[in-house]
Amino acid sequence: MLSSTRRLLPSASSLTSNNCNIVSRATSMMFSRGMTILSSESKEEFKKENYNARMAKTRRPVSPHVTIYSFPICALASITTRVTGCALSFGAAGLGALELIGGNGTALSLMSDIGNSGLVLSSGAKFAVAFPIMYHYFGGLRHLVWDNAPDMLTNVDVEKTSYGLIGASVLVSGVALVV
């Protein structure tokens, strides 16, 4: 009886190798995804249909476009910080290139000419320079405060500081118009 039982039970080494094969197959099935193979006819039909037609056929809604999406003030403040940083970089690079190409004092004479060109143009130019500087500076201060006091980083506080950032930047830039 004992000898027949031994023949029916697998050895420990065969159990280990079988378990490894089962785990290996289960893992590969878990991390691999089946492919949809299109026939040549369905491939051509797929190319002819546009996105809206495919969505109408499946009765799924078309996702909204970014132009109709209402961004929260926090996202707009973050985007504006990045845009003002890029504007400041390009402005500094432009002034540097102007000095390199035009010679010493070219940028200064350009700024002097803009300042003497009339109230509307000079005020617009002052605001166009002051707003990115102030907005980016105040945005950097806001992030410095958040880094040192993370408890102030709540949804309500972030929204309040976004409005404050925009208001302070416009106010200080407006003061720069009269200076």
Side-chain angles (χ1 to χ4, degrees):
M1 181 80 175
L2 187 60
S3 64
S4 64
T5 307
R6 283 189 186 162
R7 269 187 274 146
L8 294 176
L9 293 175
S11 66
S13 64
S14 67
L15 272 178
T16 305
S17 66
N18 285 341
N19 287 343
C20 288
N21 288 339
I22 291 170
V23 170
S24 156
R25 274 186 268 142
T27 304
S28 67
M29 288 171 60
M30 222 169 38
F31 293 115
S32 66
R33 192 175 83 189
M35 289 180 18
T36 304
I37 301 180
L38 297 174
S39 65
S40 59
E41 296 88 27
S42 63
K43 182 180 176 184
E44 293 303 318
E45 183 179 323
F46 184 78
K47 281 183 177 179
K48 289 178 187 175
E49 288 182 358
N50 68 6
Y51 179 76
N52 291 338
R54 285 196 306 271
M55 291 298 109
K57 190 187 290 184
T58 60
R59 295 184 182 162
R60 285 183 278 179
V62 178
S63 58
H65 194 266
V66 73
T67 57
I68 64 168
Y69 177 72
S70 177
F71 284 106
I73 189 68
C74 309
L76 292 173
S78 176
I79 291 167
T80 307
T81 301
R82 288 161 171 70
V83 169
T84 56
C86 290
L88 291 171
S89 297
F90 283 117
L95 282 176
L98 188 64
E99 279 292 311
L100 288 173
I101 293 170
N104 193 16
T106 307
L108 179 61
S109 67
L110 174 68
M111 287 185 261
S112 179
D113 291 344
I114 291 173
N116 295 329
S117 64
L119 184 64
V120 175
L121 186 62
S122 65
S123 297
K126 283 181 183 180
F127 189 82
V129 171
F131 180 77
I133 291 172
M134 291 294 96
Y135 191 90
H136 204 73
Y137 178 72
F138 289 149
L141 288 178
R142 179 173 76 155
H143 275 275
L144 184 66
V145 169
W146 285 345
D147 289 342
N148 292 319
D151 55 323
M152 293 181 66
L153 197 56
T154 63
N155 288 341
V156 175
D157 289 338
V158 169
E159 187 173 346
K160 286 179 184 176
T161 60
S162 295
Y163 283 116
L165 172 64
I166 293 168
S169 300
V170 170
L171 180 71
V172 173
S173 300
V175 168
L177 294 179
V178 295
V179 174

